[in-house]
Amino acid sequence: MEELFSEVLQVNVRCRDCEERKANIRVTIDLQLTTSPVHKKDLLVRLTDDIDSYFLFNLTISEEDFQSLKAQQGLLIDFASFPQKFIDLLNLCYSEQKAEHPRFLLQLSCQSPLLEGPINFSVVETNAFKHLNHLSLRLAQGSDKEVKDYLALCLSSLKVEKQALEMRLKKTEDDLSRQLSYAQQ
Amino acid sequence: MEELFSEVLQVNVRCRDCEERKANIRVTIDLQLTTSPVHKKDLLVRLTDDIDSYFLFNLTISEEDFQSLKAQQGLLIDFASFPQKFIDLLNLCYSEQKAEHPRFLLQLSCQSPLLEGPINFSVVETNAFKHLNHLSLRLAQGSDKEVKDYLALCLSSLKVEKQALEMRLKKTEDDLSRQLSYAQQ
């Protein structure tokens, strides 16, 4: 599993019968290589929320899935160049997210009043004339098992960070008190 | 929800067709008060493993459950005194867990070769004559949803601890470098 992208981005959220609101969502793109039984590459797109542990939406795009996505949305690139092109679009949105009228923005829309069930995640360009949909992906809500696995991963990396911090605190205390006793002599 | 007990205890684990082994398991006892629709108290017993995020076994004991447990295992106490008596037994096991031949020990047994499905969690006294079973509880393995909820709780408390540590590191650095510059003057 190779992580290609992981950033917190501003997303416009539209649920049914609700006011549009802005949210900070972490967008992660991983490349998963499988060698058995056949060599294949899958692209994993994951939306999470650093504050809400239960927020998880997933999409796995295989090479075959990409062919139908390509036909359906009129994409002109192949599967190999798709991840970088997608990341370029996300970076474009990122660079404009502080602007009052961003030209590129991310949109997350959902048929239900709450953010649940499948959602559409889109990169939208707004010009003087219309909204242009550059890419629209349909993500499924993480199952209990998927959220469980994701949280177990978060927990183990947070434990590592906490341990590193404890060691740094110990070292800082030792270093500085040594310097202090030396200076006071 | 009131936490009555939460300690890592040594437990003898017996699975089918496996050698008995020792494991460090966190035993947590919570008292859950519900006021609606009726006032009731439930005792929640939870076994977790601080290292293995997926390890979760649960038992909820209501006052009615306790009556059948009492009849079945010949207990002489009532529901109100049960939590403290159970904690006393756990503390007895804790105080003897370093001994070569502990008189009281905790046992976890399971019908399957792996630690899965329902398990029996027992407090066993061993004297010169026999093993005496003081208490035996049957715990269910946590579902994906229960493990998910448990991990979300762990994650949020770990985040709080990490934040506190970051603040302490910052404060230590500030304090000591102030003292250092003062001592060097």
Side-chain angles (χ1 to χ4, degrees):
Chain A
M1 184 96 90
E2 185 192 349
E3 189 175 279
L4 304 179
F5 184 87
S6 180
E7 287 293 339
V8 175
L9 300 172
Q10 200 176 74
V11 176
N12 286 18
V13 179
R14 283 183 179 180
C15 292
R16 211 185 66 191
D17 309 327
C18 297
E19 288 264 313
E20 184 169 300
R21 62 183 175 89
K22 291 189 193 303
N24 294 313
I25 304 293
R26 181 174 292 277
V27 182
T28 307
I29 305 177
D30 288 328
L31 192 66
Q32 190 172 40
L33 295 168
T34 319
T35 52
S36 154
V38 286
H39 276 266
K40 58 178 267 187
K41 285 183 182 179
D42 286 326
L43 204 65
L44 310 182
V45 182
R46 197 170 63 208
L47 303 187
T48 54
D49 181 336
D50 288 356
I51 292 163
D52 175 3
S53 298
Y54 292 109
F55 187 102
L56 175 68
F57 290 88
N58 278 317
L59 173 66
T60 306
I61 308 176
S62 67
E63 181 135 20
E64 297 82 71
D65 297 335
F66 178 75
Q67 294 315 323
S68 55
L69 190 75
K70 182 174 169 172
Q72 176 202 333
Q73 304 200 11
L75 308 179
L76 301 174
I77 49 169
D78 59 13
F79 186 54
S81 8
F82 176 65
Q84 191 52 54
K85 184 63 195 154
F86 184 21
I87 291 169
D88 291 346
L89 284 170
L90 293 173
N91 281 328
L92 253 175
C93 296
Y94 181 73
S95 66
E96 301 222 1
Q97 70 186 17
K98 294 259 159 63
E100 203 182 338
H101 300 290
R103 202 160 65 91
F104 279 87
L105 54 80
L106 293 169
Q107 210 160 64
L108 203 155
S109 61
C110 167
Q111 288 298 311
S112 92
L114 297 166
L115 204 53
E116 58 184 20
I119 56 167
N120 279 309
F121 180 60
S122 315
V123 181
V124 180
E125 181 186 355
T126 306
N127 64 18
F129 180 60
K130 67 169 285 183
H131 297 300
L132 291 164
N133 207 328
H134 283 253
L135 182 67
S136 188
L137 300 175
R138 194 168 177 79
L139 281 78
Q141 190 166 21
S143 66
D144 285 339
K145 184 177 182 314
E146 285 165 341
V147 176
K148 179 185 85 169
D149 291 342
Y150 163 68
L151 291 179
L153 271 179
C154 292
L155 201 62
S156 77
S157 71
L158 197 62
K159 277 182 186 170
V160 171
E161 286 171 32
K162 195 189 155 207
Q163 254 171 6
L165 212 53
E166 278 164 345
M167 282 169 63
R168 217 181 110 196
L169 178 62
K170 176 85 178 62
K171 193 176 175 305
T172 305
E173 284 173 347
D174 291 355
D175 281 3
L176 288 177
S177 53
R178 201 180 316 113
Q179 287 178 44
L180 193 61
S181 76
Y182 181 76
Q184 281 168 339
Q185 273 169 15
Chain B
M1 182 96 89
E2 185 191 349
E3 189 176 278
L4 304 180
F5 184 86
S6 180
E7 287 292 339
V8 175
L9 300 172
Q10 201 175 74
V11 177
N12 285 17
V13 179
R14 283 184 178 178
C15 292
R16 211 185 65 193
D17 310 328
C18 296
E19 288 264 314
E20 184 169 300
R21 62 184 175 87
K22 291 189 192 305
N24 295 312
I25 304 292
R26 180 174 292 279
V27 181
T28 307
I29 305 177
D30 288 328
L31 192 66
Q32 190 172 40
L33 295 167
T34 320
T35 51
S36 153
V38 286
H39 275 265
K40 58 179 268 188
K41 285 183 183 181
D42 286 328
L43 204 64
L44 309 182
V45 182
R46 196 170 65 209
L47 302 187
T48 54
D49 181 337
D50 287 356
I51 291 163
D52 176 2
S53 298
Y54 292 109
F55 187 102
L56 176 68
F57 291 88
N58 277 317
L59 172 68
T60 304
I61 308 176
S62 68
E63 180 134 21
E64 297 84 70
D65 298 333
F66 178 76
Q67 294 315 324
S68 53
L69 190 75
K70 182 175 170 171
Q72 177 202 334
Q73 304 200 10
L75 308 178
L76 300 173
I77 48 170
D78 60 12
F79 186 54
S81 9
F82 176 65
Q84 192 52 53
K85 184 62 195 152
F86 185 20
I87 291 169
D88 291 346
L89 284 171
L90 293 174
N91 281 328
L92 253 176
C93 296
Y94 181 74
S95 66
E96 301 223 1
Q97 69 186 18
K98 294 259 158 64
E100 203 182 339
H101 299 289
R103 201 160 66 92
F104 279 87
L105 54 80
L106 294 169
Q107 209 161 64
L108 203 155
S109 61
C110 166
Q111 288 299 312
S112 91
L114 297 167
L115 204 53
E116 57 184 20
I119 55 168
N120 278 309
F121 179 60
S122 315
V123 181
V124 180
E125 180 187 354
T126 306
N127 64 18
F129 179 61
K130 68 167 285 186
H131 297 300
L132 291 163
N133 208 329
H134 283 253
L135 183 67
S136 188
L137 300 175
R138 194 167 177 80
L139 281 78
Q141 188 167 23
S143 67
D144 285 339
K145 184 176 180 316
E146 284 165 341
V147 176
K148 179 185 86 169
D149 291 342
Y150 163 67
L151 291 179
L153 272 180
C154 292
L155 200 62
S156 76
S157 70
L158 197 62
K159 276 182 188 170
V160 171
E161 288 171 30
K162 195 189 154 206
Q163 255 171 6
L165 212 53
E166 277 166 343
M167 281 169 62
R168 217 179 111 196
L169 178 63
K170 176 85 178 60
K171 192 174 174 308
T172 305
E173 283 173 346
D174 291 353
D175 281 4
L176 287 177
S177 54
R178 201 180 317 112
Q179 287 179 43
L180 193 61
S181 76
Y182 182 75
Q184 281 169 337
Q185 271 170 16

PDB file of all heavy atoms in Angstrom, chain A residues 33-48:
ATOM      1  N   LEU A  33      -1.158  -2.471  -4.371  1.00  0.00           N
ATOM      2  CA  LEU A  33      -0.639  -3.431  -5.351  1.00  0.00           C
ATOM      3  C   LEU A  33      -0.936  -4.834  -4.857  1.00  0.00           C
ATOM      4  O   LEU A  33      -0.621  -5.170  -3.721  1.00  0.00           O
ATOM      5  CB  LEU A  33       0.873  -3.267  -5.493  1.00  0.00           C
ATOM      6  CG  LEU A  33       1.326  -1.932  -6.080  1.00  0.00           C
ATOM      7  CD1 LEU A  33       2.810  -1.742  -5.915  1.00  0.00           C
ATOM      8  CD2 LEU A  33       0.942  -1.881  -7.558  1.00  0.00           C
ATOM      9  N   THR A  34      -1.572  -5.637  -5.694  1.00  0.00           N
ATOM     10  CA  THR A  34      -1.807  -7.034  -5.344  1.00  0.00           C
ATOM     11  C   THR A  34      -1.015  -7.873  -6.325  1.00  0.00           C
ATOM     12  O   THR A  34      -1.020  -7.587  -7.534  1.00  0.00           O
ATOM     13  CB  THR A  34      -3.306  -7.370  -5.473  1.00  0.00           C
ATOM     14  OG1 THR A  34      -4.062  -6.276  -4.955  1.00  0.00           O
ATOM     15  CG2 THR A  34      -3.664  -8.615  -4.695  1.00  0.00           C
ATOM     16  N   THR A  35      -0.318  -8.896  -5.836  1.00  0.00           N
ATOM     17  CA  THR A  35       0.459  -9.721  -6.765  1.00  0.00           C
ATOM     18  C   THR A  35      -0.154 -11.101  -6.926  1.00  0.00           C
ATOM     19  O   THR A  35       0.142 -11.801  -7.879  1.00  0.00           O
ATOM     20  CB  THR A  35       1.908  -9.890  -6.265  1.00  0.00           C
ATOM     21  OG1 THR A  35       1.864 -10.355  -4.920  1.00  0.00           O
ATOM     22  CG2 THR A  35       2.665  -8.576  -6.325  1.00  0.00           C
ATOM     23  N   SER A  36      -1.031 -11.469  -5.986  1.00  0.00           N
ATOM     24  CA  SER A  36      -1.598 -12.813  -6.071  1.00  0.00           C
ATOM     25  C   SER A  36      -3.117 -12.729  -5.967  1.00  0.00           C
ATOM     26  O   SER A  36      -3.631 -12.002  -5.124  1.00  0.00           O
ATOM     27  CB  SER A  36      -1.004 -13.644  -4.933  1.00  0.00           C
ATOM     28  OG  SER A  36      -1.864 -14.690  -4.576  1.00  0.00           O
ATOM     29  N   PRO A  37      -3.932 -13.416  -6.771  1.00  0.00           N
ATOM     30  CA  PRO A  37      -3.509 -14.372  -7.803  1.00  0.00           C
ATOM     31  C   PRO A  37      -2.970 -13.684  -9.060  1.00  0.00           C
ATOM     32  O   PRO A  37      -2.208 -14.290  -9.793  1.00  0.00           O
ATOM     33  CB  PRO A  37      -4.798 -15.131  -8.122  1.00  0.00           C
ATOM     34  CG  PRO A  37      -5.894 -14.183  -7.793  1.00  0.00           C
ATOM     35  CD  PRO A  37      -5.403 -13.314  -6.686  1.00  0.00           C
ATOM     36  N   VAL A  38      -3.374 -12.436  -9.343  1.00  0.00           N
ATOM     37  CA  VAL A  38      -2.832 -11.740 -10.525  1.00  0.00           C
ATOM     38  C   VAL A  38      -2.278 -10.389 -10.087  1.00  0.00           C
ATOM     39  O   VAL A  38      -2.693  -9.838  -9.069  1.00  0.00           O
ATOM     40  CB  VAL A  38      -3.922 -11.517 -11.609  1.00  0.00           C
ATOM     41  CG1 VAL A  38      -4.253 -12.814 -12.311  1.00  0.00           C
ATOM     42  CG2 VAL A  38      -5.161 -10.888 -11.010  1.00  0.00           C
ATOM     43  N   HIS A  39      -1.335  -9.879 -10.856  1.00  0.00           N
ATOM     44  CA  HIS A  39      -0.830  -8.541 -10.608  1.00  0.00           C
ATOM     45  C   HIS A  39      -1.922  -7.531 -10.912  1.00  0.00           C
ATOM     46  O   HIS A  39      -2.468  -7.530 -12.010  1.00  0.00           O
ATOM     47  CB  HIS A  39       0.369  -8.242 -11.527  1.00  0.00           C
ATOM     48  CG  HIS A  39       1.651  -8.749 -10.983  1.00  0.00           C
ATOM     49  ND1 HIS A  39       2.503  -7.974 -10.232  1.00  0.00           N
ATOM     50  CD2 HIS A  39       2.233  -9.961 -11.083  1.00  0.00           C
ATOM     51  CE1 HIS A  39       3.540  -8.698  -9.881  1.00  0.00           C
ATOM     52  NE2 HIS A  39       3.424  -9.917 -10.392  1.00  0.00           N
ATOM     53  N   LYS A  40      -2.259  -6.706  -9.938  1.00  0.00           N
ATOM     54  CA  LYS A  40      -3.202  -5.643 -10.252  1.00  0.00           C
ATOM     55  C   LYS A  40      -2.995  -4.457  -9.327  1.00  0.00           C
ATOM     56  O   LYS A  40      -2.450  -4.593  -8.226  1.00  0.00           O
ATOM     57  CB  LYS A  40      -4.649  -6.145 -10.212  1.00  0.00           C
ATOM     58  CG  LYS A  40      -5.081  -6.744  -8.879  1.00  0.00           C
ATOM     59  CD  LYS A  40      -6.532  -7.168  -8.944  1.00  0.00           C
ATOM     60  CE  LYS A  40      -7.443  -6.060  -8.453  1.00  0.00           C
ATOM     61  NZ  LYS A  40      -8.824  -6.347  -8.302  1.00  0.00           N
ATOM     62  N   LYS A  41      -3.370  -3.310  -9.831  1.00  0.00           N
ATOM     63  CA  LYS A  41      -3.299  -2.086  -9.043  1.00  0.00           C
ATOM     64  C   LYS A  41      -4.704  -1.584  -8.784  1.00  0.00           C
ATOM     65  O   LYS A  41      -5.527  -1.548  -9.698  1.00  0.00           O
ATOM     66  CB  LYS A  41      -2.561  -0.995  -9.831  1.00  0.00           C
ATOM     67  CG  LYS A  41      -1.067  -1.175  -9.913  1.00  0.00           C
ATOM     68  CD  LYS A  41      -0.476   0.017 -10.653  1.00  0.00           C
ATOM     69  CE  LYS A  41       1.019  -0.150 -10.809  1.00  0.00           C
ATOM     70  NZ  LYS A  41       1.626   0.988 -11.545  1.00  0.00           N
ATOM     71  N   ASP A  42      -4.969  -1.207  -7.533  1.00  0.00           N
ATOM     72  CA  ASP A  42      -6.249  -0.579  -7.215  1.00  0.00           C
ATOM     73  C   ASP A  42      -5.975   0.774  -6.588  1.00  0.00           C
ATOM     74  O   ASP A  42      -4.996   0.937  -5.848  1.00  0.00           O
ATOM     75  CB  ASP A  42      -7.053  -1.426  -6.223  1.00  0.00           C
ATOM     76  CG  ASP A  42      -7.647  -2.656  -6.878  1.00  0.00           C
ATOM     77  OD1 ASP A  42      -8.004  -2.570  -8.062  1.00  0.00           O
ATOM     78  OD2 ASP A  42      -7.742  -3.687  -6.199  1.00  0.00           O
ATOM     79  N   LEU A  43      -6.847   1.697  -6.886  1.00  0.00           N
ATOM     80  CA  LEU A  43      -6.735   3.014  -6.271  1.00  0.00           C
ATOM     81  C   LEU A  43      -7.791   3.105  -5.180  1.00  0.00           C
ATOM     82  O   LEU A  43      -8.968   2.840  -5.432  1.00  0.00           O
ATOM     83  CB  LEU A  43      -6.986   4.075  -7.344  1.00  0.00           C
ATOM     84  CG  LEU A  43      -6.396   5.451  -7.091  1.00  0.00           C
ATOM     85  CD1 LEU A  43      -4.877   5.374  -7.086  1.00  0.00           C
ATOM     86  CD2 LEU A  43      -6.871   6.407  -8.166  1.00  0.00           C
ATOM     87  N   LEU A  44      -7.361   3.435  -3.954  1.00  0.00           N
ATOM     88  CA  LEU A  44      -8.313   3.549  -2.851  1.00  0.00           C
ATOM     89  C   LEU A  44      -8.490   5.014  -2.497  1.00  0.00           C
ATOM     90  O   LEU A  44      -7.511   5.693  -2.173  1.00  0.00           O
ATOM     91  CB  LEU A  44      -7.818   2.796  -1.618  1.00  0.00           C
ATOM     92  CG  LEU A  44      -7.364   1.347  -1.808  1.00  0.00           C
ATOM     93  CD1 LEU A  44      -6.942   0.737  -0.477  1.00  0.00           C
ATOM     94  CD2 LEU A  44      -8.479   0.523  -2.432  1.00  0.00           C
ATOM     95  N   VAL A  45      -9.713   5.491  -2.576  1.00  0.00           N
ATOM     96  CA  VAL A  45     -10.022   6.873  -2.208  1.00  0.00           C
ATOM     97  C   VAL A  45     -10.783   6.818  -0.889  1.00  0.00           C
ATOM     98  O   VAL A  45     -11.752   6.064  -0.758  1.00  0.00           O
ATOM     99  CB  VAL A  45     -10.879   7.563  -3.287  1.00  0.00           C
ATOM    100  CG1 VAL A  45     -11.161   9.006  -2.911  1.00  0.00           C
ATOM    101  CG2 VAL A  45     -10.195   7.484  -4.635  1.00  0.00           C
ATOM    102  N   ARG A  46     -10.327   7.592   0.094  1.00  0.00           N
ATOM    103  CA  ARG A  46     -10.933   7.528   1.425  1.00  0.00           C
ATOM    104  C   ARG A  46     -11.178   8.930   1.955  1.00  0.00           C
ATOM    105  O   ARG A  46     -10.287   9.769   1.904  1.00  0.00           O
ATOM    106  CB  ARG A  46      -9.968   6.788   2.357  1.00  0.00           C
ATOM    107  CG  ARG A  46     -10.591   6.283   3.613  1.00  0.00           C
ATOM    108  CD  ARG A  46      -9.634   5.367   4.354  1.00  0.00           C
ATOM    109  NE  ARG A  46      -8.450   6.113   4.759  1.00  0.00           N
ATOM    110  CZ  ARG A  46      -7.252   5.573   4.918  1.00  0.00           C
ATOM    111  NH1 ARG A  46      -7.048   4.310   4.682  1.00  0.00           N
ATOM    112  NH2 ARG A  46      -6.243   6.309   5.303  1.00  0.00           N
ATOM    113  N   LEU A  47     -12.385   9.184   2.409  1.00  0.00           N
ATOM    114  CA  LEU A  47     -12.685  10.456   3.070  1.00  0.00           C
ATOM    115  C   LEU A  47     -12.869  10.191   4.552  1.00  0.00           C
ATOM    116  O   LEU A  47     -13.651   9.315   4.937  1.00  0.00           O
ATOM    117  CB  LEU A  47     -13.973  11.080   2.524  1.00  0.00           C
ATOM    118  CG  LEU A  47     -14.043  11.350   1.025  1.00  0.00           C
ATOM    119  CD1 LEU A  47     -15.326  12.136   0.696  1.00  0.00           C
ATOM    120  CD2 LEU A  47     -12.839  12.143   0.539  1.00  0.00           C
ATOM    121  N   THR A  48     -12.149  10.935   5.380  1.00  0.00           N
ATOM    122  CA  THR A  48     -12.302  10.801   6.828  1.00  0.00           C
ATOM    123  C   THR A  48     -12.343  12.193   7.447  1.00  0.00           C
ATOM    124  O   THR A  48     -12.102  13.196   6.770  1.00  0.00           O
ATOM    125  CB  THR A  48     -11.127   9.999   7.450  1.00  0.00           C
ATOM    126  OG1 THR A  48      -9.892  10.616   7.059  1.00  0.00           O
ATOM    127  CG2 THR A  48     -11.129   8.552   7.003  1.00  0.00           C
TER     128      THR A  48
END
